[in-house]
Amino acid sequence: MGGPSIRTARPGDLSALPALEAASDTLLDGMLPTGLRELPPPATVPELAASRHILVAGDPPAGFARLEEVDGQVHLEQLSVHPDAAGAGLGRALVEAALDWAREHGYTSMTLCTFADVPFNAPFYASCGFEVVQDPDGELAAVRQHEIRLGLDSLGKRVAMRARL
């Protein structure tokens, strides 16, 4: 029963996560309306080490959830699942584990930013209890502005989402 167990990332896991994120990004090939620009590069090991928390699935990791803090609440900065493990519920398990971790640490909501029209992005997160934030403000608005500067919005419509815990 079940797939890989979900656990807190160990320092030795971090070096594998940039390649895992890059592999996961290939799942977007052909899903975005334009191929004119590439996604930003994966997070570096120092960036990952500075994260609020990282959960991984499997050993070695087949997926991970990178959590940060935005507006005093937890923010799902990155969810990556290796293409070989895609479609098996690993992403949902990571999101559920992230939500559980956030509740256990006293957060009352979780935010994220994602592509609106990719089935395994906004529609998937909606099925996990997230709702679109129509007019993000504060630090969440700053996250969206940063994404615009990175060129993510040129790849497809982006939305901020929030789940109440």
Side-chain angles (χ1 to χ4, degrees):
M1 169 182 141
S5 63
I6 300 190
R7 60 180 170 78
T8 295
R10 297 184 293 259
D13 294 322
L14 299 183
S15 62
L17 300 186
L20 175 57
E21 182 177 340
S24 177
D25 285 349
T26 67
L27 292 169
L28 290 169
D29 291 349
M31 300 295 291
L32 300 173
T34 178
L36 299 176
R37 296 183 54 134
E38 295 180 10
L39 291 168
T44 64
V45 172
E47 289 169 333
L48 293 164
S51 298
R52 174 69 178 93
H53 193 71
I54 297 178
L55 295 165
V56 298
D59 193 7
F64 74 94
R66 176 183 172 196
L67 305 175
E68 299 293 352
E69 196 167 286
V70 171
D71 293 319
Q73 295 299 315
V74 71
H75 180 79
L76 181 59
E77 175 61 30
Q78 182 67 36
L79 178 69
S80 293
V81 173
H82 193 280
D84 293 344
L90 194 55
R92 185 170 304 277
L94 281 161
V95 170
E96 289 172 2
L99 291 166
D100 288 345
W101 180 90
R103 282 184 202 97
E104 290 167 9
H105 288 82
Y107 293 103
T108 59
S109 68
M110 179 183 288
T111 57
L112 59 86
C113 298
T114 193
F115 289 105
D117 300 321
V118 175
F120 54 86
N121 278 202
F124 163 74
Y125 291 116
S127 77
C128 294
F130 287 82
E131 297 177 347
V132 172
V133 177
Q134 295 299 332
D135 294 307
D137 59 6
E139 292 175 1
L140 187 57
V143 169
R144 283 292 299 122
Q145 289 302 312
H146 178 71
E147 289 186 342
I148 291 167
R149 285 191 302 278
L150 289 175
L152 284 170
D153 288 58
S154 69
L155 298 172
K157 181 181 176 189
R158 303 275 299 170
V159 293
M161 301 182 82
R162 176 180 288 119
R164 303 285 180 195
L165 303 179

